[in-house]
PDB file of all heavy atoms in Angstrom:
ATOM      1  N   ARG A  41      25.581 -66.115  35.187  1.00 46.00           N
ATOM      2  CA  ARG A  41      27.063 -66.042  35.346  1.00 46.00           C
ATOM      3  C   ARG A  41      27.773 -65.560  34.134  1.00 46.00           C
ATOM      4  O   ARG A  41      28.884 -65.134  34.174  1.00 46.00           O
ATOM      5  CB  ARG A  41      27.574 -67.302  35.856  1.00 46.00           C
ATOM      6  CG  ARG A  41      27.295 -67.563  37.333  1.00 46.00           C
ATOM      7  CD  ARG A  41      28.022 -68.785  37.780  1.00 46.00           C
ATOM      8  NE  ARG A  41      27.785 -69.062  39.159  1.00 46.00           N
ATOM      9  CZ  ARG A  41      28.011 -70.228  39.768  1.00 46.00           C
ATOM     10  NH1 ARG A  41      28.480 -71.238  38.990  1.00 46.00           N
ATOM     11  NH2 ARG A  41      27.824 -70.379  41.039  1.00 46.00           N
ATOM     12  N   PHE A  57      20.119 -58.897  22.692  1.00 90.00           N
ATOM     13  CA  PHE A  57      19.985 -58.556  24.094  1.00 90.00           C
ATOM     14  C   PHE A  57      21.152 -59.313  24.870  1.00 90.00           C
ATOM     15  O   PHE A  57      21.375 -60.515  24.642  1.00 90.00           O
ATOM     16  CB  PHE A  57      18.672 -58.941  24.681  1.00 90.00           C
ATOM     17  CG  PHE A  57      17.563 -58.106  24.213  1.00 90.00           C
ATOM     18  CD1 PHE A  57      16.825 -58.545  23.103  1.00 90.00           C
ATOM     19  CD2 PHE A  57      17.261 -56.903  24.799  1.00 90.00           C
ATOM     20  CE1 PHE A  57      15.791 -57.779  22.588  1.00 90.00           C
ATOM     21  CE2 PHE A  57      16.204 -56.141  24.309  1.00 90.00           C
ATOM     22  CZ  PHE A  57      15.430 -56.589  23.238  1.00 90.00           C
ATOM     23  N   HIS A  68      34.639 -62.792  46.079  1.00 58.00           N
ATOM     24  CA  HIS A  68      35.662 -63.721  45.576  1.00 58.00           C
ATOM     25  C   HIS A  68      35.918 -63.392  44.133  1.00 58.00           C
ATOM     26  O   HIS A  68      35.329 -62.502  43.570  1.00 58.00           O
ATOM     27  CB  HIS A  68      35.229 -65.198  45.700  1.00 58.00           C
ATOM     28  CG  HIS A  68      33.787 -65.391  45.356  1.00 58.00           C
ATOM     29  ND1 HIS A  68      33.248 -65.160  44.142  1.00 58.00           N
ATOM     30  CD2 HIS A  68      32.722 -65.704  46.193  1.00 58.00           C
ATOM     31  CE1 HIS A  68      31.934 -65.380  44.171  1.00 58.00           C
ATOM     32  NE2 HIS A  68      31.596 -65.739  45.392  1.00 58.00           N
ATOM     33  N   GLY A  71      33.004 -63.436  41.682  1.00 61.00           N
ATOM     34  CA  GLY A  71      32.165 -62.256  41.763  1.00 61.00           C
ATOM     35  C   GLY A  71      32.772 -61.057  41.009  1.00 61.00           C
ATOM     36  O   GLY A  71      32.090 -60.288  40.266  1.00 61.00           O
ATOM     37  N   LYS A  76      32.770 -57.556  36.221  1.00 70.00           N
ATOM     38  CA  LYS A  76      33.621 -57.020  35.035  1.00 70.00           C
ATOM     39  C   LYS A  76      32.822 -57.289  33.733  1.00 70.00           C
ATOM     40  O   LYS A  76      32.756 -56.465  32.821  1.00 70.00           O
ATOM     41  CB  LYS A  76      34.957 -57.709  35.005  1.00 70.00           C
ATOM     42  CG  LYS A  76      35.986 -57.091  34.083  1.00 70.00           C
ATOM     43  CD  LYS A  76      37.265 -57.805  34.191  1.00 70.00           C
ATOM     44  CE  LYS A  76      38.242 -57.411  33.071  1.00 70.00           C
ATOM     45  NZ  LYS A  76      39.398 -58.269  32.982  1.00 70.00           N
ATOM     46  N   ASN A  88      21.198 -49.274  27.044  1.00 93.00           N
ATOM     47  CA  ASN A  88      21.196 -50.037  28.272  1.00 93.00           C
ATOM     48  C   ASN A  88      19.801 -50.062  28.880  1.00 93.00           C
ATOM     49  O   ASN A  88      19.144 -49.080  28.980  1.00 93.00           O
ATOM     50  CB  ASN A  88      22.139 -49.382  29.256  1.00 93.00           C
ATOM     51  CG  ASN A  88      23.627 -49.694  28.961  1.00 93.00           C
ATOM     52  OD1 ASN A  88      23.970 -50.832  28.751  1.00 93.00           O
ATOM     53  ND2 ASN A  88      24.449 -48.685  28.938  1.00 93.00           N
ATOM     54  N   MET A  91      17.382 -52.640  34.802  1.00 91.00           N
ATOM     55  CA  MET A  91      16.188 -53.331  35.360  1.00 91.00           C
ATOM     56  C   MET A  91      16.196 -53.224  36.921  1.00 91.00           C
ATOM     57  O   MET A  91      17.162 -53.603  37.560  1.00 91.00           O
ATOM     58  CB  MET A  91      16.133 -54.719  34.920  1.00 91.00           C
ATOM     59  CG  MET A  91      14.794 -55.351  35.049  1.00 91.00           C
ATOM     60  SD  MET A  91      14.581 -56.479  33.704  1.00 91.00           S
ATOM     61  CE  MET A  91      12.886 -57.098  34.138  1.00 91.00           C
ATOM     62  N   LEU A 120      11.223 -50.523  35.267  1.00 94.00           N
ATOM     63  CA  LEU A 120      10.742 -50.762  36.583  1.00 94.00           C
ATOM     64  C   LEU A 120       9.906 -52.025  36.508  1.00 94.00           C
ATOM     65  O   LEU A 120       8.714 -52.047  36.055  1.00 94.00           O
ATOM     66  CB  LEU A 120       9.819 -49.603  37.124  1.00 94.00           C
ATOM     67  CG  LEU A 120      10.642 -48.349  37.550  1.00 94.00           C
ATOM     68  CD1 LEU A 120       9.655 -47.178  37.801  1.00 94.00           C
ATOM     69  CD2 LEU A 120      11.426 -48.647  38.772  1.00 94.00           C
ATOM     70  N   LEU A 153       7.045 -61.006  34.238  1.00 84.00           N
ATOM     71  CA  LEU A 153       6.351 -62.283  34.499  1.00 84.00           C
ATOM     72  C   LEU A 153       5.006 -62.299  33.769  1.00 84.00           C
ATOM     73  O   LEU A 153       4.561 -63.314  33.213  1.00 84.00           O
ATOM     74  CB  LEU A 153       6.155 -62.496  35.946  1.00 84.00           C
ATOM     75  CG  LEU A 153       5.952 -63.882  36.463  1.00 84.00           C
ATOM     76  CD1 LEU A 153       7.133 -64.820  36.133  1.00 84.00           C
ATOM     77  CD2 LEU A 153       5.744 -63.898  38.022  1.00 84.00           C
ATOM     78  N   VAL A 164       9.640 -48.804  21.135  1.00 96.00           N
ATOM     79  CA  VAL A 164      10.388 -47.561  21.473  1.00 96.00           C
ATOM     80  C   VAL A 164      11.931 -47.884  21.377  1.00 96.00           C
ATOM     81  O   VAL A 164      12.656 -46.993  20.834  1.00 96.00           O
ATOM     82  CB  VAL A 164      10.068 -47.095  22.866  1.00 96.00           C
ATOM     83  CG1 VAL A 164      11.004 -45.905  23.326  1.00 96.00           C
ATOM     84  CG2 VAL A 164       8.604 -46.693  22.944  1.00 96.00           C
ATOM     85  N   ILE A 193      20.825 -75.656  32.346  1.00 85.00           N
ATOM     86  CA  ILE A 193      19.540 -76.316  32.798  1.00 85.00           C
ATOM     87  C   ILE A 193      19.818 -77.173  34.046  1.00 85.00           C
ATOM     88  O   ILE A 193      19.068 -77.164  35.010  1.00 85.00           O
ATOM     89  CB  ILE A 193      18.922 -77.098  31.651  1.00 85.00           C
ATOM     90  CG1 ILE A 193      18.289 -76.165  30.649  1.00 85.00           C
ATOM     91  CG2 ILE A 193      17.902 -78.105  32.194  1.00 85.00           C
ATOM     92  CD1 ILE A 193      17.939 -76.821  29.293  1.00 85.00           C
ATOM     93  N   LYS A 201      16.585 -77.005  43.880  1.00 80.00           N
ATOM     94  CA  LYS A 201      16.359 -78.114  44.798  1.00 80.00           C
ATOM     95  C   LYS A 201      17.239 -78.075  46.082  1.00 80.00           C
ATOM     96  O   LYS A 201      16.901 -78.688  47.064  1.00 80.00           O
ATOM     97  CB  LYS A 201      16.735 -79.403  44.087  1.00 80.00           C
ATOM     98  CG  LYS A 201      15.906 -79.697  42.819  1.00 80.00           C
ATOM     99  CD  LYS A 201      14.509 -80.252  43.112  1.00 80.00           C
ATOM    100  CE  LYS A 201      13.781 -80.580  41.868  1.00 80.00           C
ATOM    101  NZ  LYS A 201      12.384 -80.908  42.122  1.00 80.00           N
ATOM    102  N   LYS A 263      13.032 -80.062  25.581  1.00 84.00           N
ATOM    103  CA  LYS A 263      13.859 -79.126  24.739  1.00 84.00           C
ATOM    104  C   LYS A 263      14.241 -79.822  23.420  1.00 84.00           C
ATOM    105  O   LYS A 263      14.166 -79.279  22.309  1.00 84.00           O
ATOM    106  CB  LYS A 263      15.127 -78.706  25.444  1.00 84.00           C
ATOM    107  CG  LYS A 263      16.044 -77.752  24.693  1.00 84.00           C
ATOM    108  CD  LYS A 263      17.204 -77.364  25.538  1.00 84.00           C
ATOM    109  CE  LYS A 263      18.181 -76.542  24.739  1.00 84.00           C
ATOM    110  NZ  LYS A 263      17.628 -75.281  24.274  1.00 84.00           N
ATOM    111  N   GLU A 271      23.534 -88.651  33.239  1.00 93.00           N
ATOM    112  CA  GLU A 271      24.330 -89.194  34.366  1.00 93.00           C
ATOM    113  C   GLU A 271      25.029 -87.997  35.083  1.00 93.00           C
ATOM    114  O   GLU A 271      25.671 -87.172  34.373  1.00 93.00           O
ATOM    115  CB  GLU A 271      25.428 -90.154  33.851  1.00 93.00           C
ATOM    116  CG  GLU A 271      24.946 -91.538  33.662  1.00 93.00           C
ATOM    117  CD  GLU A 271      26.093 -92.471  33.279  1.00 93.00           C
ATOM    118  OE1 GLU A 271      27.283 -92.120  33.406  1.00 93.00           O
ATOM    119  OE2 GLU A 271      25.810 -93.644  32.850  1.00 93.00           O
TER     120      GLU A 271
END
Side-chain angles (χ1 to χ4, degrees):
R41 285 185 177 164
F57 292 93
H68 38 67
K76 192 177 167 190
N88 283 312
M91 200 147 180
L120 283 172
L153 203 59
V164 172
I193 286 168
K201 302 279 184 191
K263 180 178 175 63
E271 275 185 14

